[in-house]
Amino acid sequence: MRRSALLTLCLSLITTTAFADGGMWTFQEFPHELLKRTHNADVTPAWLDRVRTATIRLQNCTASFVSPDGLILTNHHCAEACLDEHSTKDKNLVADGFLARTRDQEKRCGTQIADVLMDMENITAKIGAATKGLDAKAANEKRKATMTTLEQQCEQDSKGAKGGPFKCETVDMYQGGQYWLYKYHRYSDVRLVFAPEREIAAFGGDPDNFQYPRWDLDMSVMRAYDADGKPAATPNFLAIRPKGPEAGELVFVSGHPGSTSRQLTVAELETLRNVIYPRWLLRASELRGRLIQFGKSSPEAHRIADDPLNALENGIKVRRKQLDALLDDRLMQSKRKDEAALRAKVAADPALAREIGDPWATIANAQARDAELALPYSYLEQGVGFGVSGGGSLFGYARMLVRAAAERPLENTKRLREYSDSALPRAQQRLLAPLPVYPALQKLYLSFGLERMREWLGPDAPIVRQLLSKESPDTLADKLVDGTKLADPAVRKQLWEGGAAAVNASTDPMIVLAREVDAEARTIRKSYEDEVEAPVDAASEKIARARFKIYGTSEPPDANFTLRLNFGVVEGWMENGKPVEPFTHLDRLYERATGQEPFKVPDSWLAAKPNLDLQTRFDLSTNNDIVGGNSGSPLIDKDGHIVGLMFDGNIHSISGDFWYDAELNRAVAVDPQIMFEGLRKVYKADELLKELSAQ
Amino acid sequence: MRRSALLTLCLSLITTTAFADGGMWTFQEFPHELLKRTHNADVTPAWLDRVRTATIRLQNCTASFVSPDGLILTNHHCAEACLDEHSTKDKNLVADGFLARTRDQEKRCGTQIADVLMDMENITAKIGAATKGLDAKAANEKRKATMTTLEQQCEQDSKGAKGGPFKCETVDMYQGGQYWLYKYHRYSDVRLVFAPEREIAAFGGDPDNFQYPRWDLDMSVMRAYDADGKPAATPNFLAIRPKGPEAGELVFVSGHPGSTSRQLTVAELETLRNVIYPRWLLRASELRGRLIQFGKSSPEAHRIADDPLNALENGIKVRRKQLDALLDDRLMQSKRKDEAALRAKVAADPALAREIGDPWATIANAQARDAELALPYSYLEQGVGFGVSGGGSLFGYARMLVRAAAERPLENTKRLREYSDSALPRAQQRLLAPLPVYPALQKLYLSFGLERMREWLGPDAPIVRQLLSKESPDTLADKLVDGTKLADPAVRKQLWEGGAAAVNASTDPMIVLAREVDAEARTIRKSYEDEVEAPVDAASEKIARARFKIYGTSEPPDANFTLRLNFGVVEGWMENGKPVEPFTHLDRLYERATGQEPFKVPDSWLAAKPNLDLQTRFDLSTNNDIVGGNSGSPLIDKDGHIVGLMFDGNIHSISGDFWYDAELNRAVAVDPQIMFEGLRKVYKADELLKELSAQ
């Protein structure tokens, strides 16, 4: 049943550029005409500006301002790292929740930032001029240097600008079809105000999540502070409509969808299907098993494994469904047909054909090299072999210190991009944030990384012989984690400030390891950039140019964690022939409760039950086109009021990485009704309610 | 590099039916002509008879008789279950090895059997007559009943036969193109004589295994006993040639390859690629992580997890490479072309086309149903949701007791096939064998199974609601494992003998669980048999008939754990442009030793090193076409002497499931030189050497 619906849609996508309600549009190219045609509605420039400046990019989520004093609404799962950071053996904020009744009680999140997009400048012509006439490899290097220069100039120029100074970031739209300079106001001081218990935020947990989550109060509240320590003034905030939306109502999602792959070539999709996703899933599934088993060893182990396990399981869900989508021959056949149609149109335009040549063949050839380099690149350069699965690992710190020591003395445009002047403050913040480091967990990651590196690169690979000729993964992991002092932020600060001299003189075993593998890792990165990235980027740019000439900008660019707006309606879907209603209600939460995780209702909600209105709407579904990164996005009505808090999608929405399926793809949001009911009757958060209600 | 070689081969396979040296031939249809043409050699009927009756089918391995007194040679990994069975907390035979210096010291393996193929009878016509004119579902049921009847008659008739009584098993060749009755002499009393330490049997472990194992003394020795407790008389044994074979020498492998899928249709291969393998790998990888982490919790946990972990990791290696092969579009395209060619030939023969219709479409339609049923079938009927990953689990015992109680009172032909009179003695032996049951491990399996069942079937599936509405997977697993008495063989015996009355009255929680899920599991099995198995079997039979008519028996049937013989030569291969020599030698073992598992040389071999000839050949590679199930097979020279002990293949050999790749597919064997050197100088196994040398 599902497949034929998917196929129908896919065929219809080939013959039309209409996106039903799919499409993650940029604010600067918002399709007013399409909105009028499909929904007989429009939004004004002022509406767009207000929504844009009320939308926040967090580290890897979206959020929005919901009061004039910098109050931020986002998901519970977007605040988990901060909750974790302030948890101890005896007080687990992730599990128990948190409420600051006064501003003094708000807790600063060590690595959280809040970026607001203030301005966008099209720099396609500048990049084009800088790289004109260069071959792919030289153009790739020149492009990066030009980006660094433009970012640097932008940040210097912005010091006197309104809302400045800005963080400036170049972004690539349409696989190199356009380049933009995005200018953000950055709040580096973000504090935690409220989070409910995890049991209610993620009720149903993974079991529900593998279909769709339905009774989750996946919310948290934070506040942005200015550099002077005062709450940020945010007059452009969005007020919440407490009653929530109606079925069928037109709704918008503003946010930062992380990444889609709808415009990849067939060759690139095949690399994902044949190489990247299966390997990632094998590794992640084993790590899942290790973390689960580790968590059974003690309550403390359970607590510290909980947050990384949740993130990992969500990743597995996504990758698994992405792989399913790519394994569906019908999707691939539709992509092949689509590509053939574009190539035929190019061939029919001799001037265009001469101009772009055969970029598809270039990309296909680079894929073979990609498949060869993927293993050493991930294990050595991305640090998978050393347990890196996030910025917080000990090897991650060591790598950053070693690289920064080598890069910072270089001229800005000559550095690796992540150590440019524009990027350094953020790197420093992440390095020095006093996040907890759990040795037992670090050993688990490191031993796992080393063991799989030996398996996949083979016992006779030089790096494997170098590290594991007289040690097992376990003994080496023990030595490194027990021996390093990098868990201490003060030690990291000393090395960061001491620069190359301090880092090169260090005998800290993790620093020594990072130094020893650096040359080989950089060599692989260089090969990857020259032999995969450069030709693919150059060829993608050519395909994008052809697309523009043939289709115009009637298709939005692939998501890339930049701000997007899309519209849709509140609606359910048909699952195996049965309708799924767009709203869930509080009563079914209690009916589904088992008393056991992840179907355990927290005590606070059990105690409050007699006072609650059991017909309160809980979660709701819409046909908005969202992906990971949209978590925490405001769902907005045509008047600019918040009518929901996006936190996930149904299982079908994961194929949204490759296409938008109007029949089945649904986004899931927390309804304002349950937020207010909970804050009022369960948490008695009167101060917060007062601030949220001041319109 | 590798891929193009594979492709070249594949294209050549389409245009010719020559199998280079691939091909797992039955003894009754051995291709004498082909052997003459390709190797200018032949074997006599007497040679074939001797080799056949010296080859042994173990539980899931092959072995051979190597002395007139029932001495059996096989792999260490084929004896691990037996070594495990006789291990305790204080004495780990898997790790430490074992040597019986007298027959009294030999240790009986609880569930091991040794089957020798005595006779083969073609029953295709009988099956055809019984099912003539019936529709697919009725034919499927009738076929099974007929098989049960023929087996029963055969066993009754065999009581006076030479070598009798026989175990009679019907087998299906060519996907239903032929049916045979295979008649075995069964030794149910098999005892352990010798095994080296695991460190030397599996040196290099998983890291080497993921490429190819090269310095492994993967041998063990057992002995078959007659029912009267006396060593079996086995005059047809094969003598070992201590010097081993020469490079380029013609060699034969006789054994029981488990399963190949070379004659599946494209639709069936797609089901494996899209549904079956990815799910299996996700599950197995997570279980791998759980077992590894569990093993770190104590030395005892490490010991008890070791054997299941090895088996699992080997399975992952195989499945992973099988999936890689199927993800190679060129393999699929070649299979499509192959299928199209056969269909064109059928279409060109109107009588044949009329006779068989469109069996490919029938199979493709059944695949969609297969994909739907696969999850409940595996979780409920195959017991994956209850931690069943082998015959030894507690739920496995409970299921067997509950099913047998219901089936045994029925007429023989009406029973589920695994409870027919012919199958019952084996079921009973497995049920009552005093294998160790480790509660901690059982809880791990069960909790994992329940948790994944909830994830994959969904929290609202009836079985999930029934079991997990008030329990978590952990709490339920604890209750079941702590509460059941089925770990005790005496309790199982009581219930087995007590039959339906005892089983139905039992309050043992595992029995209660097995009773409760039985109706639903049987319903799913019935759907699967009627809607997938029956149409696929009927259609496959039609395709097989077409193949016969068009190609004859110039291709051997897919492997199905029946006895096969294939020939090849001792040779290495080219790996990434570099030659891999066919022999390894003892000196490199010591050079590669790290002192850490899995590169740890056992103390016995370190102590003996000064006395050893370091130029002794260790392992060797041949281009014989083998797959799992061939482990322990004798490698035989043209004079009928053993010149090696097969134990694995290189990584490329795994694609052998779908095609035979003459350039890259290599089998790996233990060289007799290292067996004799080790037995003589390391283990000083003089009695054993004496028996092995008596020709």
Side-chain angles (χ1 to χ4, degrees), chain A residues 523-539:
Chain A
T523 303
I524 289 158
R525 176 170 171 158
K526 188 83 177 71
S527 301
Y528 183 82
E529 289 180 352
D530 291 350
E531 298 165 50
V532 181
E533 193 182 87
V536 168
D537 281 3

Side-chain angles (χ1 to χ4, degrees), chain A residues 249-539:
Chain A
E249 182 174 341
L250 171 66
V251 282
F252 300 80
V253 171
S254 172
H256 290 87
S259 143
T260 56
S261 307
R262 295 179 191 177
Q263 289 168 0
L264 292 187
T265 66
V266 170
E268 289 173 297
L269 292 174
E270 283 175 346
T271 302
L272 293 178
R273 186 196 67 180
N274 298 351
V275 181
I276 308 297
Y277 288 173
R279 284 185 191 157
W280 190 95
L281 277 166
L282 282 183
R283 212 166 60 215
S285 295
E286 183 184 340
L287 182 58
R288 181 189 198 186
R290 291 192 184 215
L291 284 173
I292 289 173
Q293 201 64 36
F294 171 79
K296 292 183 205 270
S297 61
S298 75
E300 171 65 357
H302 190 269
R303 180 184 77 78
I304 66 176
D306 197 40
D307 185 25
L309 184 59
N310 290 330
L312 184 71
E313 290 185 331
N314 200 48
I316 289 172
K317 165 185 136 176
V318 171
R319 282 278 184 281
R320 182 160 75 70
K321 295 307 292 185
Q322 286 175 329
L323 182 61
D324 279 354
L326 294 177
L327 282 170
D328 186 338
D329 277 335
R330 288 166 289 189
L331 184 149
M332 275 299 194
Q333 275 161 25
S334 132
K335 291 282 182 185
R336 281 196 190 102
K337 211 167 158 182
D338 209 6
E339 190 166 297
L342 179 60
R343 296 179 75 161
K345 285 194 165 74
V346 170
D349 178 343
L352 184 61
R354 245 192 329 274
E355 182 192 335
I356 71 167
D358 188 354
W360 291 275
T362 306
I363 290 176
N365 290 336
Q367 296 311 298
R369 189 70 183 126
D370 191 358
E372 283 168 13
L373 287 170
L375 280 178
Y377 186 79
S378 61
Y379 278 97
L380 288 175
E381 172 60 15
Q382 298 186 311
V384 169
F386 311 109
V388 173
S389 61
S393 93
L394 292 168
F395 181 83
Y397 289 140
R399 160 67 62 84
M400 204 185 278
L401 286 164
V402 167
R403 287 261 165 107
E407 296 291 318
R408 284 161 74 193
L410 302 179
E411 192 194 312
N412 193 21
T413 58
K414 304 278 189 213
R415 297 181 204 157
L416 296 174
R417 291 261 302 148
E418 65 269 32
Y419 298 99
S420 71
D421 284 341
S422 173
L424 273 179
R426 180 84 186 108
Q428 181 176 339
Q429 183 189 21
R430 288 173 55 196
L431 180 74
L432 304 184
L435 298 186
V437 174
Y438 304 107
L441 208 49
Q442 293 292 326
K443 287 176 184 175
L444 186 157
Y445 290 135
L446 191 51
S447 170
F448 173 60
L450 291 166
E451 198 173 325
R452 286 303 145 260
M453 181 159 70
R454 182 172 65 188
E455 176 178 316
W456 286 87
L457 301 188
D460 298 317
I463 181 74
V464 176
R465 292 173 72 112
Q466 180 187 331
L467 297 177
L468 297 174
S469 62
K470 299 289 161 192
E471 298 275 5
S472 76
D474 273 343
T475 59
L476 182 56
D478 285 355
K479 278 187 194 170
L480 287 165
V481 174
D482 290 338
T484 185
K485 299 272 179 283
L486 295 183
D488 181 352
V491 171
R492 301 198 295 270
K493 188 154 188 266
Q494 225 168 16
L495 286 164
W496 179 258
E497 289 169 354
V503 168
N504 293 337
S506 170
T507 57
D508 186 288
M510 203 65 84
I511 294 281
V512 173
L513 173 65
R515 277 203 313 255
E516 280 178 353
V517 302
D518 206 48
E520 196 178 339
R522 280 174 182 263
T523 303
I524 289 158
R525 176 170 171 158
K526 188 83 177 71
S527 301
Y528 183 82
E529 289 180 352
D530 291 350
E531 298 165 50
V532 181
E533 193 182 87
V536 168
D537 281 3

Side-chain angles (χ1 to χ4, degrees), chain A residues 206-208 210-211 214 270 273-274 278 281-282 285-286 288-290 292-294 296 313 320 323-324 327 329 336 444 447 451-452 454-460 465 468-472 474-475 588 592-594 596-599, chain B residues 206-208 210-211 214 270 273-274 278 281-282 285-286 288-290 292-294 296 313 320 323-324 327 329 336 444 447 451-452 454-460 465 468-472 474-475 588 592-594 596-599:
Chain A
D206 227 39
D208 270 1
F210 270 80
Q211 299 181 320
R214 284 152 284 185
E270 283 175 346
R273 186 196 67 180
N274 298 351
L281 277 166
L282 282 183
S285 295
E286 183 184 340
R288 181 189 198 186
R290 291 192 184 215
I292 289 173
Q293 201 64 36
F294 171 79
K296 292 183 205 270
E313 290 185 331
R320 182 160 75 70
L323 182 61
D324 279 354
L327 282 170
D329 277 335
R336 281 196 190 102
L444 186 157
S447 170
E451 198 173 325
R452 286 303 145 260
R454 182 172 65 188
E455 176 178 316
W456 286 87
L457 301 188
D460 298 317
R465 292 173 72 112
L468 297 174
S469 62
K470 299 289 161 192
E471 298 275 5
S472 76
D474 273 343
T475 59
R588 277 286 287 153
R592 297 184 88 233
T594 66
Q596 296 285 344
E597 279 190 3
F599 294 95
Chain B
D206 226 37
D208 270 1
F210 270 80
Q211 300 181 319
R214 285 152 285 187
E270 283 175 345
R273 185 195 68 179
N274 298 353
L281 278 166
L282 282 183
S285 295
E286 183 183 340
R288 181 189 197 187
R290 291 191 184 215
I292 288 173
Q293 200 64 34
F294 171 80
K296 293 183 204 271
E313 290 185 329
R320 182 160 76 69
L323 181 60
D324 278 355
L327 281 169
D329 277 337
R336 281 196 190 99
L444 187 157
S447 170
E451 199 174 324
R452 287 304 143 259
R454 183 172 64 186
E455 176 178 315
W456 288 85
L457 301 188
D460 299 316
R465 293 173 71 111
L468 297 175
S469 61
K470 299 290 160 192
E471 298 275 5
S472 76
D474 273 343
T475 59
R588 277 285 288 153
R592 297 185 87 235
T594 66
Q596 296 285 344
E597 277 190 5
F599 294 97

Side-chain angles (χ1 to χ4, degrees), chain A residues 2 47 156 189 292 335 451 474 552 615 655:
Chain A
R2 301 186 196 175
W47 187 100
Q156 279 162 3
D189 181 352
I292 289 173
K335 291 282 182 185
E451 198 173 325
D474 273 343
Q615 287 315 306
S655 73

